[in-house]
Amino acid sequence: NGLEVLRRLRKTSDMPVILLTARDAVMDKVSGLEMGADDYITKPFQHREVMARIKANLRKAELVTQAEMKTESVENEENVIVVGDLTLDLKKVEAKVKGEVVDLTIKEFEVLKYLAAQPGEVVTREMLLKKVWGYDDYVGAIRTVDVTVNRIRDKIEKDKANPKILITKRGVGYYVVGNK
């Protein structure tokens, strides 16, 4: 079935996948999205909507590719990432905010490093799970990212309720505020 094809595809590829199906129960939709589908469309559908969703998913995939290229470039060329008040020393695995060392776990540092390598660009939870945690199949793991980001904010933000460094783009993901 389509979910099995999706499961196998996700083992080797992160290409955008849109499930087009007659199954419209909420649990079917949730299962498809949690197994790695980027979108889920039920029949009957309008062709213009399908085309718009295809274009949106291709744009998102292009942004992800660009972000990956930037991250690789930063990691290969520099040992320090500076974004506003945030400084990450990649060799020392050390984070500083306004010059003060912040005690982060390795995973917290890796999340912050991935986001800081592309300041101002929103990174999806799924991309963080794939790139930082190495999850190809992240069923049920999305909250892991939220919890980790929350712990990072506890450590780097002066006022966690009004973050200035690590920002949530509601419904999409997270980003580190870029230099102005």
Side-chain angles (χ1 to χ4, degrees):
N1 68 21
L3 293 179
E4 180 60 22
V5 170
L6 176 61
R7 188 183 65 77
R8 289 182 186 185
L9 181 65
R10 282 297 178 238
K11 287 182 179 180
T12 60
S13 175
D14 60 356
M15 75 170 61
V17 174
I18 299 174
L19 294 179
L20 182 62
T21 177
R23 301 184 74 157
D24 63 353
V26 172
M27 282 312 299
D28 292 327
K29 293 176 184 178
V30 169
S31 294
L33 293 169
E34 284 186 345
M35 287 188 73
D38 296 283
D39 208 341
Y40 193 103
I41 304 172
T42 57
K43 297 177 187 176
F45 56 86
Q46 297 293 317
H47 294 284
R48 291 185 71 184
E49 179 185 3
V50 174
M51 291 305 297
R53 287 176 184 245
I54 290 170
K55 289 177 183 177
N57 278 284
L58 289 174
R59 279 193 309 270
K60 186 167 101 174
E62 178 64 25
L63 288 173
V64 167
T65 301
Q66 290 172 359
E68 288 172 350
M69 289 170 51
K70 283 183 182 179
T71 300
E72 290 170 8
S73 171
V74 168
E75 288 177 355
N76 291 336
E77 295 175 7
E78 301 177 19
N79 293 319
V80 176
I81 299 173
V82 178
V83 184
D85 293 334
L86 177 67
T87 304
L88 299 176
D89 187 320
L90 305 182
K91 284 198 172 202
K92 292 181 180 178
V93 190
E94 180 179 80
K96 293 181 181 178
V97 176
K98 293 184 177 180
E100 286 191 40
V101 175
V102 179
D103 186 28
L104 299 175
T105 66
I106 294 297
K107 198 59 71 179
E108 291 166 351
F109 183 84
E110 291 298 319
V111 168
L112 202 50
K113 177 176 91 172
Y114 191 82
L115 293 169
Q118 46 218 344
E121 294 184 23
V122 178
V123 177
T124 66
R125 291 165 176 85
E126 294 83 3
M127 184 53 61
L128 286 169
L129 283 170
K130 183 171 183 157
K131 296 299 181 180
V132 177
W133 277 266
Y135 290 1
D136 286 326
D137 182 17
Y138 40 79
V139 175
I142 294 294
R143 291 292 300 150
T144 300
V145 175
D146 299 331
V147 169
T148 302
V149 167
N150 198 27
R151 286 195 325 252
I152 294 169
R153 275 204 190 112
D154 283 339
K155 298 174 181 182
I156 69 169
E157 295 288 355
K158 185 175 182 180
D159 179 6
K160 187 177 156 187
N162 297 301
K164 303 292 184 209
I165 300 170
L166 181 52
I167 309 299
T168 300
K169 182 70 172 180
R170 190 175 176 112
V172 182
Y174 301 99
Y175 66 98
V176 168
V177 174
N179 295 325
K180 295 176 183 163

